[in-house]
Amino acid sequence: AELRERAGLSRVELAARVDVNPQTIGYLERGEYNPSLALAFRLGELFGLPIEQVFLRDDARERQP
């Protein structure tokens, strides 16, 4: 959610950009769904981050340089 909000995207906008249902974005943000590898790479590409950075817990991301 933090990355999406920083990018100024709604769940619907993000879902459209990575070709998933908006509910999927909600599930991902709440930690209720593990994405496919293809989706993980699409999210990483969209945010300009390696996929491991995209899926770090928020507290761990804050400690990253």
Side-chain angles (χ1 to χ4, degrees), residues 39-54:
L39 175 55
F41 277 109
R42 289 195 306 267
L43 288 165
E45 185 177 321
L46 179 89
F47 291 119
L49 295 169
I51 59 174
E52 60 270 17
Q53 286 285 109
V54 174

Side-chain angles (χ1 to χ4, degrees), residues 3-4 8-9 15-16 18 21 23 25 29 31 33 36 41 46-48 50 55-57 61-62 65:
L3 291 172
R4 175 182 56 76
L9 297 169
V18 295
N21 186 299
Q23 285 182 309
I25 300 301
E29 290 180 351
Y33 175 76
S36 67
F41 277 109
L46 179 89
F47 291 119
F55 293 100
L56 280 176
R57 292 188 331 260
R61 187 178 302 109
E62 291 170 3

Side-chain angles (χ1 to χ4, degrees), residues 16-41:
R17 291 178 112 179
V18 295
D19 196 30
V20 296
N21 186 299
Q23 285 182 309
T24 300
I25 300 301
Y27 292 139
L28 284 170
E29 290 180 351
R30 291 188 302 274
E32 298 172 359
Y33 175 76
N34 293 318
S36 67
L37 190 54
L39 175 55
F41 277 109

